[in-house]
Amino acid sequence: MSDYYEMAKKWQKRWEESKVFKSKADKSKKKFYCLEMYPYPSGKLHIGHVRNYSIGDSYARYKRMKGFNVLYPMGYDAFGLPAENAAIKNKIHPGEWTLDSMASMRKQQKELGFSYDWDREIASLQPEYYKWNQWIFTQMYKKGLAYRKAASINWCPGCNTVLANEQVEDGKCWRCKSEVDQKKLEQWFLKITDYADELLKDLDKLDEWPEKVKIMQKNWIGRSEGVTLKFDVVDENGTNIDEIETFTTRADTVYGITYLVLAAEHPKAIEWTKGTEYEEKVKEFIKKVKKQTIIERTAEGKEKNGIFIGKYFINPFTSEKCPLWIADYALYEYGTGAVMAVPAHDQRDFEFAKKYDLPIKVVINPDSFDLDAQKMNRAYAEDGTMVNSQGFNGMHNRDALDDIKKLAKEKGWGEPTINFKLKDWLISRQRYWGTPIPMLYCDKCGIVPVPDEELPVMLPEDVEFTGHGNPLTTSKTFQHSKCPLCGAQARRETDTMDTFIDSSWYFFRFTNPEHHSDMVEKEEADYWMPVDQYIGGIEHAILHLLYARFFTKVMRDLGLSHVDEPFSRLLCQGMVIKDGAKMSKSLGNTVDPSDIITKYGPDTARLFILFAALPEKELDWNDQGVHAAYKFLNRVQRLTENDMERGFNIEQMPESLTNADRSIIGKLHKTIKKITRLFDTMSQSLAIGALMELVNDINKYTTSGSGTSYNKSVFRYLLENLIIMISPFAPHLAEEMWETIGNEGFVSVYQWPEFKEEYIDKEAQACEDLIHNIRSGIQSVQKLTEIKPKQMKLFIPDAWKYDLYKLVAQKFSETHDFQTIMKEVMSDPGIRSHGTQVSQIINSVVKNPSKFPKHVLSMEKEIQTIEENRDLLGQEFDMEIEIIKESDAEENKAKSGLPSRPAFILY
RNA sequence: GCGAGGGUUGCAGAGUCUGGCCAAAUGCGCAGGACUUAAGAUCCUGUCUCUUAGUGAGUCCGGGGGUUCGAAUCCCCUCCCUCGCACCA
């Protein structure tokens, strides 16, 4: 077991005792609400959780150190099927199972040292929590946002319950992957479609959401602007029998309609064929279509099937009589369940028309040529010029679109319509472990909501978990109730709510979980909401994130808060994979976070997971990487073994500082700037990389030269800043080191260092690099010659640059034209060989003449530095060093026979 | 088909917005060295090619072309990969 593990325990205890992470609303402070998607307590934390919380915690800690009043809570999404399934299997109450899971997850979360305000913990299984699910449901019922209706619904045979559309993926249950059946049932719905427009429109406000998620939501909501057209339906003789509506976005193609198809489920299909020769065939067809699963029906490249139903319709634009068909490619759920077919300009209609030999009529021609209906091998769906369209001929189809819509409206043939793919949210579940829907059925009064004062409707305990049917129906008492209106016997609703309801507003509850008399305490919610940074998996791109947005808007309209959108900024973390595959029990490639924590300590686990990949990218788990993180922490901790002194004051930087000191201080401030920027863009892995770089440089600083020459108070200054900056990643180690060097208080709440441009001394850094290079040059010379030379000639490197600057300066005084200067400078024999950098130097001069003298100054300073360090280096290597500037070197060159720009010459 | 994101030096992965300080961060891997009886661990150095004194030369960021004094970075064309959605009328 690692020392780090024990060390972490110590600090976790101290944090807890001092309640250092407790948050309180305070209007005088700028707030920051950082939130991770609260977990479903399924037993143990997995690596994905650890990643999620490590990202969130590092950020929350950073923001706290930046001076924000941070709200960073944790809770549990405690209702759900796994608990109930465990109950059926193991004869243990779902509540007990869930509370056990919560306890073990909480323990692990505490072991990892996340800086949650544990006083705000919530769990959706608490009656004081789910009471408000029920309350808002009755509020929505009263506003007509919750309603009960019979509908064709998705039934999951695996989970024995219905599913919302959002919970069906590829025709399968999102949870258990069973194939979903269609059933007709009376169910409760929430009218999310009332908010469809706003949910779509407000996506534009979410600047700091991943584009991907916004697009997914946009597609899911699926808004289409078009027109609903009405057609008279006639029999063979042309006698009017009924009418049919269709929705289209391509009103510009109405002159090309050649037939119309109904979805198989469309009730008119049966009605119109009743008693005709077509009745049997149509019924048979419908039966065949309904037998197919969703997967079969929507399979890629699936051939379209249909039959003629013996009826016709009149196209009001052309007065033509066209046939009515029934086909499997029309969807009953979308639009009106009927499609006007324009085979020439819609690929699906085209395929169908080809198969059943239906007419194809071109009404839009491309710009470059005319289409021939006979020769087309695919539909022409692009824009072009209208033909065969009466008064619209010759117009561009986009222009004609609006005119045709207007015409349809004037003549009463159709109405402009906006259609959504989004359907109302089906929230009934025939399961026990959820929030009971607070509704009563009275024979006299009908459906009656449970009055507010009787909430919560508690889950009954006298139930049996058999695995068949809804356990709530087995309760002797639960269903019997009284009608609050007439007092008569009333039956209580036994369906429970979809657990996504719980997670649709929990972020409000965190703002004041203690408050029991309202759903949210407005003042607190107004201070803390919206969530400033939300972090979770991409799998909730539609489900949870759409529902939460919907609830937030409903709550706003109920006057519970003022926010339009719950999450200002969203981060979708990437998956954790191992050996090229997603971690899963079935593949046996899982990693238990507890093993890492006990072996290397929580800081290592967190640091590795943050360092291994950027938060939104896939993370490939490898054990060597874990070890590397551990080694790095060791290296950092060893820094405290160096000598150090208090008393360094950056505000009054002492004159006596060497170039090495100034250089490393500059490096520190560059790193401060970099890490601050990287944190703000949630690039923790790069921030850690920058810290590693800094640690490398600090090590070089303390060990270069004779090894003890570093400034001890500068070193302490560096170390303190390093500890502060590493504390969001490795908080326990940071606290330990902070204490070791004798500082008081928690570094976890110490203020984040401020970047100071003026402390970056570029000249000092350049000089420092120079000396470093000379030193390693001498070392390699000594190594190669084996004998230690007593004397050395040192040619000043880069002195040519100095000459170059002087030359450029001279030319610059004559002309400011880049090309001229370039030409003249390049023609100078001493300069030509350095052509690549010449243009850069000239350009920097031309672009920014005021900076120019600085360049020359820095060159002079370099030369001075070398001269100043001559004796030091001489002592270090026990030799005499003679300095020769390159401009003087030319004459020596002849003597030595060496190349033109040597750095070192030995005697 | 529609939409989004990518292709960088052995691997992972920065750099691209804002062109030059980029042979290109950081880590892994690999090589050499120190320590050790030894292995491991740890530490140091190196790690595109050439150059056995260089702050040197050459080549390089999927492929091709262009703009520029200068391109991994900007523009155009092209090839390849990944991920979402998908008969939505």
Side-chain angles (χ1 to χ4, degrees), chain A residues 33-53:
Chain A
Y33 187 174
C34 183
L35 184 68
E36 294 130 12
M37 290 181 186
Y38 73 161
Y40 177 77
S42 56
K44 271 177 127 183
L45 238 45
H46 60 245
I47 290 290
H49 288 125
V50 179
R51 185 172 194 199
N52 191 180
Y53 311 144

Side-chain angles (χ1 to χ4, degrees), chain A residues 699-733:
Chain A
N699 266 326
K700 277 190 195 121
Y701 170 69
T702 54
T703 53
S704 69
S706 49
T708 52
S709 63
Y710 67 91
N711 182 317
K712 295 186 179 54
S713 63
V714 168
F715 174 73
R716 190 186 167 92
Y717 170 72
L718 297 171
L719 185 61
E720 283 187 359
N721 279 287
L722 175 67
I723 295 172
I724 295 167
M725 286 194 285
I726 210 168
S727 101
F729 307 112
H732 310 94
L733 177 69

Side-chain angles (χ1 to χ4, degrees), chain A residues 366-558:
Chain A
D367 296 336
S368 48
F369 63 99
D370 287 355
L371 290 167
D372 179 348
Q374 299 309 306
K375 290 183 184 154
M376 289 170 78
N377 54 17
R378 53 170 299 128
Y380 178 75
E382 279 96 275
D383 293 338
T385 309
M386 306 279 290
V387 290
N388 297 326
S389 303
Q390 299 180 4
F392 299 99
N393 286 342
M395 285 177 80
H396 189 263
N397 69 312
R398 290 284 148 190
D399 301 330
L401 188 66
D402 281 337
D403 292 349
I404 291 176
K405 275 190 196 169
K406 262 184 220 148
L407 178 69
K409 192 170 161 65
E410 270 169 36
K411 300 273 189 183
W413 299 334
E415 280 293 322
T417 314
I418 291 163
N419 232 308
F420 292 96
K421 283 201 285 182
L422 182 72
K423 297 287 153 225
D424 280 340
W425 179 10
L426 196 175
I427 58 133
S428 299
R429 295 293 179 274
Q430 292 69 46
R431 300 296 298 235
Y432 169 81
W433 196 228
T435 306
I437 294 176
M439 286 290 164
L440 298 165
Y441 300 93
C442 169
D443 286 340
K444 230 170 81 190
C445 312
I447 298 174
V448 184
V450 175
D452 290 358
E453 56 275 16
E454 286 175 31
L455 298 177
V457 176
M458 300 277 283
L459 276 171
E461 297 296 322
D462 60 331
V463 291
E464 279 173 52
F465 298 100
T466 58
H468 314 289
N470 182 349
L472 273 177
T473 57
T474 67
S475 166
K476 303 262 187 309
T477 52
F478 185 73
Q479 291 190 62
H480 306 298
S481 185
K482 279 212 171 94
C483 172
L485 298 180
C486 69
Q489 274 272 341
R491 185 176 61 80
R492 193 183 289 283
E493 171 66 79
T494 53
D495 282 356
T496 52
M497 294 183 197
D498 185 355
T499 54
F500 275 96
I501 302 257
D502 309 330
S503 53
S504 292
W505 67 280
Y506 76 105
F507 37 90
F508 274 102
R509 194 67 190 167
F510 279 132
T511 63
N512 194 344
E514 311 262 326
H515 192 76
H516 294 316
S517 58
D518 290 295
M519 188 170 180
V520 292
E521 210 266 299
K522 193 155 185 300
E523 211 165 300
E524 297 271 346
D526 280 352
Y527 176 73
W528 291 112
M529 285 294 290
V531 174
D532 295 284
Q533 176 67 61
Y534 198 37
I535 306 159
I538 186 78
E539 65 274 18
H540 290 112
I542 294 172
L543 285 161
H544 161 60
L545 289 170
L546 189 64
Y547 295 148
R549 295 182 60 220
F550 165 55
F551 254 64
T552 301
K553 291 174 191 306
V554 171
M555 289 170 77
R556 176 202 61 199
D557 291 347
L558 288 170

